[in-house]
C-alpha cells in the first residue's frame, strides 16, 4: 500500500531532480528554461513538503544547498567561508515578521532601535575576490557555495575591481564579495549585434554576465563591459576591521570599489518597506537589473549572535520584487526586413501590461528561437520584461493551446514585392548561422528603406532636418529612392517640390534650410562614404580601416574592380590589409560584382566630393609596428594613446602575441606583461614610449 509518506518521498525526489536540472541550466549553461519566479515556486513547494515531512531533509536537498556543482572548465577554489544564499520575503508581512523575529531572538528592549542596511539585490553573478596585503590574488565564482571556480584572470579585466586596494588600513587578508553585472544598454546592444550576426542571444543580462565571466579566454571577458558592486566579505584576517555593515560599505568605497549608491541604513520595518517601494519605482531607471532588496542587520555583533539556519543567515533576507510577467495571446508573427536583409520575426500580441508598461510587439529573434520555444500563432504566451526594458516571450502555456494551432513555418520568400528567395546566412567559415536573409539586396524595398535610413542617419550623412520620419515620407512620395536622390532634391521639378512642401507642411524657410543642410554634406570623408554604402559587415570601424588602407576613393574603387575581375592577387590583397578578414573581403567583392549596387554607388559618388583619408605616417619610428598598451597609463587615456599611435602608423592590438613589437606597460600590468616577457617582446614604460615617439 502506498502511504502519504511514500507519495511525498516520490514528489520530493521529483522536485529535487527538477530543481537540480534547472540550477545546472542557470548556473553552468547560462540557458535557463524557467523564469526566476517559476523557479522560486519549485523551491517553495519543496520547502513546504519538507516542513510536513522533515525526515525528507538531507544535506543534499536543494533547500540545504546553493548554486550548482562547478564545471571542470576552471580550477576549483575552496571557499574558506561558504558563499551562502538568502532567505526570501515576498510580502510586507514577511518583512515585519523578519524584524520581529530578530528583535525577539536578540531580546531587544521595545524602546531600543535596531538598524538595518538595505541594499538593492543586484541580479548578476556573485564573486569572491581575495586580496593579500592589498593585492588582488584570486577570484572565484560561488559554485555550490563551498567549491567555486577560479576566474582570476577574467575578474582582473573588470574595470571597477581594483588590482591594488586604495587607501590604508586594509586587513592583510580579505575576501571581498559582491556581484558582477552587465549594464542594460550594453546588453541590448550586444544582443542586437549577436542577433544580426546570427550568433547566440542571451535571455537576460545575468546570463550574459555569467557567460562573459566564465570564458576560458580573458580577452573575451575584457571585451564585455562588466561591472561590479561590492557588498560583503568572506575570510578576513581581522574580523573586527569594522563594527557594522554600513561601515564595511564605506571602507569598500575608500579602497576603490563601487558600492551601490542606493544602499541605505534604516531602523525599522517601515523604513525597509519604504526603501523597497522607492527602489521598485526607480527600478527601470537604474541601468542594471535588480530583483529585490536585501535587508541586513547592521551591527556585526548582532549578526554573529543571530548566526545561520542551514544555507542562509538569520540576520538577512531578500525581499523579492513580484515577477514582471503577464499572459497574453499571440495574434500574429510578422516579418521585418533589416538593412542587410535579415528577416526578424516579431510577435504581435494582444496588448498587455507588464510591470507598468504596455507590451504589444516582441521580437522573436530568429527561426530557431521560435522552433526551440515551439511558439505558435494563437498560443497563450508568457511575456516578461527582462531588466525592465526588453520584453520577451518566456514560453507557451501548453495547456491552453488551441487544438488547431500549427507549428510556425518560417517564410521561404521575402515579404517584399520582389518575392525573392530567403537564404540561410552562412558565415566566412561556411557554417550555417541562425539568421535568414532576403537575397534581393537593395532591390528589395524593405532593405532599400532600411538602407536609406542608414544613409541619412547621424553616423553617415547626418543631415539636419532629414530624420527617419521625413525620409519615409520622401520615400513614399517617390522623391528619394536611393542615396543620390537626397542631393537631387533641390533640382526637382516644381510639382515635386510643391508635393514636398504640402506633405511636410514645410514653409519656404525650412525647405531652404533643408537644402542648405544637404549642400553642406556634399563634402564627405572617405570613411563616411564607405560606411554609407551599407555593405554587409562594414560598419564605422571597418570603413575607417578601409579608408586608411586605400587613402582615396579612386584607389579604393580600383582595388575593388581588380578583385571583381579576379586579377591575380587582387582578392588576397584585400585580406592583407590591416585587420580586414575574409568575410569583409567577400562582402566587398559581392557588392562590387552587383551591377545594381555599382549603379547606386556611381550615382551617389557623382553627387559628392569625397575627401582623401588622413595620411598615416610611414616614416615614424613606430610605423608598421604592433603595439599593446597594458596597465594604467598616467599621462593620457587609452583612447588618446591609441589614436596617437595609429596616427604615427602603428597598429594597436588588444592582446600580446608573437606578432607584437612593443608592449607599453603602466602600473598594474598583469598577464599581458607576463606574456610579453615570456615571448621576449620589447617592454617599455609610458615615458619611454613617449620619448620614442618624440612627445
Ligand atoms: S548578501 C550570506 N547583498 O543574492 C549572503 N547578496 O540570494 C550574502 N545578491 O548569492 C549575500 N545583491 O549573489 C547580498 N546586496 C546584496 C546582494 C546579494 C545581490 C545576491 C548574491 C547572493 C544572492 C542571495
Amino acid at each position: 500500500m502506498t502511504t502519504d509518506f511514500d507519495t511525498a518521498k516520490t514528489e520530493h525526489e521529483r522536485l529535487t531532480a527538477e530543481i537540480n536540472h534547472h540550477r545546472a541550466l542557470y548556473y553552468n549553461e547560462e540557458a535557463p528554461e524557467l523564469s526566476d519566479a517559476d523557479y522560486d515556486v519549485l523551491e517553495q513547494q519543496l520547502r513546504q513538503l519538507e516542513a510536513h515531512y522533515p525526515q525528507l531533509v538531507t544535506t543534499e536537498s536543494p533547500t540545504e544547498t546553493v548554486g550548482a556543482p562547478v564545471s571542470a572548465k576552471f580550477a576549483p577554489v575552496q571557499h574558506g567561508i561558504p558563499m551562502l544564499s538568502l532567505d526570501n520575503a515576498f510580502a510586507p508581512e514577511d518583512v515585519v515578521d523578519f524584524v520581529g523575529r530578530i528583535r525577539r531572538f536578540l531580546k531587544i528592549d521595545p524602546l531600543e532601535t535596531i538598524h538595518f542596511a538595505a541594499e538593492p539585490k543586484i541580479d548578476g553573478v556573485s564573486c569572491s575576490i581575495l586580496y593579500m596585503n592589498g593585492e588582488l590574488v584570486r577570484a572565484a565564482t560561488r559554485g555550490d557555495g563551498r567549491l567555486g571556480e577560479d576566474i582570476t584572470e577574467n575578474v582582473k579585466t573588470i574595470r571597477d575591481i581594483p588590482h591594488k586596494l586604495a587607501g590604508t588600513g586594509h586587513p592583510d587578508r580579505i575576501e571581498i564579495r559582491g556581484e558582477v553585472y552587465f549594464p542594460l544598454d550594453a546588453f541590448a546592444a550586444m544582443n542586437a549585434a549577436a542577433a544580426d550576426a546570427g550568433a547566440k542571444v542571451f535571455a537576460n543580462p545575468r546570463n550574459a554576465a555569467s557567460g562573459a565571466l566564465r570564458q576560458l579566454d580573458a580577452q573575451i571577458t575584457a571585451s564585455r563591459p562588466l561591472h561590479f558592486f561590492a557588498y560583503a566579505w568572506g575570510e578576513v584576517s581581522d574580523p573586527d576591521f569594522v563594527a557594522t555593515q554600513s561601515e564595511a560599505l564605506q571602507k569598500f568605497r575608500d579602497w576603490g570599489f563601487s558600492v551601490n549608491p542606493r544602499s541605505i541604513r534604516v531602523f525599522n520595518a517601515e523604513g525597509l518597506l519604504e526603501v523597497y517601494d522607492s527602489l521598485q519605482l526607480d527600478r527601470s531607471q537604474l541601468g542594471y537589473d535588480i530583483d529585490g532588496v536585501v535587508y541586513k542587520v547592521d551591527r556585526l555583533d548582532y549578526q554573529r549572535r543571530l548566526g545561520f539556519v542551514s544555507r542562509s543567515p538569520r540576520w538577512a533576507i531578500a525581499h523579492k520584487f513580484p515577477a514582471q510577467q503577464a499572459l497574453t495571446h499571440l495574434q500574429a508573427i510578422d516579418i521585418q526586413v533589416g538593412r542587410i536583409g535579415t528577416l526578424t520575426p516579431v510577435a504581435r500580441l494582444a496588448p498587455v501590461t507588464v510591470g507598468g508598461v504596455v507590451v504589444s510587439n516582441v521580437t522573436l529573434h530568429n527561426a530557431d528561437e521560435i522552433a526551440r520555444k515551439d511558439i505558435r500563432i494563437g498560443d497563450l504566451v508568457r511575456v516578461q520584461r527582462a531588466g525592465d526594458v526588453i520584453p520577451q516571450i518566456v514560453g507557451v502555456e501548453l495547456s491552453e493551446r488551441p487544438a488547431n494551432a500549427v507549428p510556425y513555418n518560417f517564410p521561404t520568400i521575402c515579404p517584399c514585392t520582389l518575392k525573392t528567395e530567403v537564404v540561410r546566412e552562412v558565415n566566412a567559415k561556411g557554417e550555417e548561422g541562425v539568421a535568414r536573409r532576403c537575397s534581393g539586396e537593395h532591390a528589395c524595398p524593405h532593405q532599400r528603406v532600411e538602407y536609406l535610413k542608414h544613409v541619412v542617419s547621424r553616423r553617415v550623412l547626418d543631415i539636419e532636418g532629414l530624420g527617419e520620419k521625413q525620409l519615409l515620407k520622401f520615400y513614399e512620395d517617390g522623391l528619394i529612392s536611393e542615396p543620390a536622390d537626397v542631393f537631387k532634391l533641390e533640382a526637382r521639378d516644381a510639382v515635386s517640390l510643391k508635393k514636398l512642401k504640402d506633405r511636410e507642411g514645410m514653409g519656404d524657410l525650412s525647405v531652404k534650410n533643408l537644402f542648405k543642410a544637404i549642400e553642406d554634406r556634399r563634402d564627405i570623408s572617405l570613411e563616411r562614404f564607405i560606411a554609407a554604402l551599407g555593405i554587409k559587415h562594414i560598419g564605422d570601424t571597418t570603413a575607417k580601416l578601409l579608408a586608411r588602407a586605400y587613402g582615396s576613393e579612386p584607389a579604393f574603387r580600383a582595388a575593388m574592380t581588380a578583385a571583381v575581375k579576379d586579377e591575380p592577387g587582387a582578392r588576397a590583397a584585400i585580406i592583407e590589409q590591416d585587420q580586414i578578414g575574409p568575410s569583409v573581403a567577400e562582402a566587398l567583392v559581392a557588392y562590387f560584382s552587383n551591377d545594381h549596387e555599382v549603379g547606386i554607388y556611381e550615382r551617389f559618388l557623382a553627387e559628392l566630393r569625397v575627401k582623401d583619408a588622413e595620411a598615416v605616417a610611414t616614416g615614424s619610428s613606430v610605423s608598421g609596428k604592433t603595439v599593446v598598451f597594458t596597465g594604467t597609463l598616467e599621462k593620457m587615456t587609452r583612447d588618446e594613446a591609441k589614436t596617437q599611435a595609429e596616427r604615427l602608423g602603428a597598429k594597436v592590438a588588444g592582446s600580446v602575441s608573437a606578432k607584437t613589437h612593443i608592449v607599453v606597460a603602466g602600473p598594474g600590468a598583469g598577464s599581458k606583461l607576463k606574456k610579453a616577457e615570456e615571448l621576449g617582446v620589447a617592454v617599455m614604460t609610458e615615458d619611454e614610449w613617449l620619448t620614442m615617439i618624440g612627445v
Side-chain angles (χ1 to χ4, degrees):
M1 198 181 78
T2 333
T3 62
D4 283 354
F5 179 73
D6 289 334
T7 318
K9 190 158 177 276
T10 315
E11 179 62 3
H12 189 271
E13 280 163 13
R14 190 190 66 77
L15 276 169
T16 300
E18 195 171 345
I19 290 173
N20 287 337
H21 167 71
H22 288 294
R23 281 187 179 180
L25 288 175
Y26 184 90
Y27 290 108
N28 291 342
E29 321 256 326
E30 287 93 37
E33 284 172 1
L34 286 188
S35 69
D36 291 0
D38 287 344
Y39 173 81
D40 283 347
V41 169
L42 290 180
E43 277 209 2
Q44 267 171 297
Q45 285 172 349
L46 193 72
R47 212 167 297 120
Q48 273 166 14
L49 203 62
E50 290 183 352
H52 273 97
Y53 300 97
Q55 57 275 56
L56 290 174
V57 185
T58 69
T59 50
E60 264 93 65
S61 166
T63 55
E64 302 289 304
T65 58
V66 299
V70 300
S71 87
K73 256 179 33 178
F74 300 91
V77 170
Q78 180 88 38
H79 296 300
I81 292 189
M83 291 180 79
L84 298 171
S85 174
L86 293 170
D87 209 2
N88 289 332
F90 294 97
E93 298 79 69
D94 301 339
V95 178
V96 175
D97 285 353
F98 166 72
V99 173
R101 217 159 47 228
I102 283 166
R103 294 189 68 101
R104 278 195 305 280
F105 189 99
L106 296 171
K107 300 199 172 59
I108 304 225
D109 187 283
L111 295 174
E112 212 183 304
T113 48
I114 169 164
H115 285 91
F116 295 88
E119 304 166 5
K121 185 171 185 312
I122 316 298
D123 196 6
V125 182
S126 52
C127 179
S128 184
I129 313 165
L130 174 63
Y131 287 85
M132 299 218 338
N133 302 316
E135 299 263 358
L136 190 167
V137 295
R138 195 193 63 202
T141 62
R142 178 166 77 165
D144 68 358
R146 287 167 205 283
L147 210 58
E149 299 158 313
D150 189 327
I151 49 161
T152 311
E153 290 311 313
N154 298 357
V155 163
K156 279 185 175 167
T157 69
I158 300 176
R159 279 164 286 278
D160 45 8
I161 295 184
H163 290 195
K164 209 173 158 34
L165 297 181
T168 49
H170 5 88
D172 296 344
R173 182 184 164 89
I174 183 164
E175 267 176 326
I176 302 290
R177 292 180 175 176
E179 206 84 355
V180 172
Y181 66 95
F182 211 112
L184 296 181
D185 49 358
F187 170 72
M190 184 182 76
N191 251 5
D196 259 0
K200 172 176 171 185
V201 290
F202 284 100
N204 56 48
R206 201 210 73 86
N207 293 147
S210 173
L213 210 49
R214 300 174 72 254
Q215 290 288 335
L216 287 176
D217 179 359
Q219 291 295 338
I220 302 180
T221 315
S223 71
R224 309 277 159 80
L226 295 177
H227 286 265
F228 179 79
F229 281 128
Y231 54 65
W233 62 98
E235 265 190 300
V236 52
S237 52
D238 174 12
D240 296 320
F241 78 108
V242 283
T244 63
Q245 167 73 11
S246 324
E247 274 175 47
L249 294 184
Q250 190 47 49
K251 281 257 192 279
F252 295 167
R253 281 193 190 99
D254 297 344
W255 295 345
F257 291 98
S258 299
V259 168
N260 193 288
R262 301 291 298 256
S263 306
I264 189 173
R265 191 164 169 258
V266 298
F267 61 86
N268 56 19
E270 226 167 71
L272 295 174
L273 293 172
E274 268 171 34
V275 178
Y276 179 86
D277 288 343
S278 97
L279 275 167
Q280 194 170 14
L281 214 59
D282 298 345
R283 186 180 181 188
S284 58
Q285 310 300 318
L286 297 176
Y288 46 84
D289 268 357
I290 64 172
D291 58 347
V293 188
V294 181
Y295 308 139
K296 303 172 183 175
V297 170
D298 202 33
R299 275 174 59 166
L300 300 189
D301 56 340
Y302 284 169
Q303 287 191 6
R304 283 181 204 117
R305 279 171 60 195
L306 284 155
F308 295 82
V309 225
S310 70
R311 60 167 194 180
S312 34
R314 207 178 266 118
W315 45 264
I317 200 160
H319 190 185
K320 301 283 266 296
F321 290 137
Q324 308 258 60
Q325 289 194 339
L327 291 172
T328 188
H329 281 98
L330 173 70
Q331 296 170 327
I333 296 178
D334 286 349
I335 299 289
Q336 279 175 357
V337 187
R339 174 164 66 82
I340 56 163
T342 310
L343 268 56
T344 305
V346 178
R348 304 290 177 207
L349 305 170
V352 63
T353 307
V354 191
V357 170
V358 178
V359 176
S360 48
N361 304 312
V362 173
T363 175
L364 293 169
H365 300 295
N366 52 52
D368 288 9
E369 192 76 3
I370 301 179
R372 195 170 64 77
K373 292 183 178 159
D374 186 19
I375 294 170
R376 305 184 184 186
I377 296 167
D379 271 342
L380 185 66
V381 293
R382 185 174 290 269
V383 182
Q384 169 173 298
R385 278 175 64 222
D388 281 296
V389 266
I390 323 137
Q392 58 186 178
I393 291 183
V394 204
V396 172
E397 295 294 293
L398 286 177
S399 56
E400 302 292 319
R401 171 163 281 167
N404 57 356
V406 288
Y408 180 70
N409 271 329
F410 205 83
T412 51
I413 53 166
C414 178
C416 70
T417 43
L418 294 180
K419 305 208 183 315
T420 24
E421 190 198 346
V422 169
V423 291
R424 202 168 174 150
E425 193 149 79
V426 174
N427 69 14
K429 287 188 212 139
E431 297 159 351
E432 273 204 338
V434 286
R436 277 144 170 99
R437 295 191 343 109
C438 159
S439 54
E441 310 296 330
H442 289 165
C444 159
H446 293 270
Q447 289 190 56
R448 181 131 30 107
V449 171
E450 292 306 314
Y451 172 49
L452 286 169
K453 281 191 203 159
H454 163 74
V455 172
V456 302
S457 74
R458 244 293 135 100
R459 282 152 59 202
V460 184
L461 286 181
D462 189 19
I463 296 170
E464 175 117 30
L466 188 55
E468 231 175 68
K469 243 173 60 201
Q470 294 91 332
L471 172 85
L472 284 177
K473 290 186 184 158
F474 287 146
Y475 178 78
E476 282 167 22
D477 287 345
L479 291 171
I480 296 181
S481 59
E482 62 171 63
D485 296 341
V486 173
F487 294 92
K488 292 182 184 151
L489 269 183
E490 195 172 359
R492 280 272 178 171
D493 54 284
V495 182
S496 306
L497 286 182
K498 182 165 183 323
K499 217 183 201 178
L500 184 154
K501 279 189 206 162
D502 292 350
R503 170 100 185 226
E504 290 293 306
M506 273 181 157
D508 285 341
L509 184 65
S510 37
V511 172
K512 215 173 114 200
N513 285 343
L514 174 64
F515 290 161
K516 178 165 182 324
I518 292 175
E519 254 342 278
D520 285 348
R521 289 291 181 264
R522 282 197 198 269
D523 288 296
I524 189 171
S525 67
L526 179 59
E527 62 180 78
R528 275 203 187 210
F529 175 67
I530 296 176
L533 303 175
I535 302 172
K536 206 165 107 188
H537 303 311
I538 303 184
D540 300 354
T541 316
T542 310
K544 193 166 165 182
L545 292 169
L546 289 167
R548 283 241 175 89
Y550 294 101
S552 70
E553 187 283 326
F556 172 62
R557 181 64 202 278
M560 297 307 125
T561 312
V564 170
K565 288 196 196 136
D566 214 3
E567 285 174 13
R571 289 189 187 199
I574 303 181
I575 302 169
E576 272 159 26
Q577 299 299 336
D578 190 22
Q579 300 175 59
I580 301 296
S583 39
V584 168
E586 201 180 295
L588 282 166
V589 172
Y591 178 89
F592 284 96
S593 307
N594 180 325
D595 289 344
H596 181 80
E597 304 284 7
V598 172
I600 293 178
Y601 179 101
E602 276 170 356
R603 289 188 291 278
F604 192 24
L605 179 66
E607 299 296 330
L608 301 168
R609 290 178 292 267
V610 182
K611 287 181 281 187
D612 290 353
E614 198 180 312
V616 169
T618 48
S620 88
S621 50
V622 295
S623 66
K625 299 247 159 63
T626 301
V627 186
V628 173
F629 292 99
T630 181
T632 316
L633 297 183
E634 288 165 326
K635 302 265 160 67
M636 54 189 148
T637 65
R638 267 290 164 89
D639 276 347
E640 261 180 282
K642 184 166 182 269
T643 316
Q644 189 183 45
E646 284 174 347
R647 211 178 293 130
L648 291 167
K651 176 181 161 189
V652 178
S655 60
V656 178
S657 73
K659 289 191 194 151
T660 312
H661 297 101
I662 302 167
V663 170
V664 180
S671 60
K672 289 183 200 172
L673 177 58
K674 217 173 108 205
K675 183 124 187 241
E677 283 161 355
E678 279 165 18
L679 293 169
V681 173
V683 176
M684 54 179 72
T685 62
E686 189 181 0
D687 283 335
E688 287 166 340
W689 161 258
L690 293 174
T691 313
M692 179 166 155
I693 62 173
V695 177

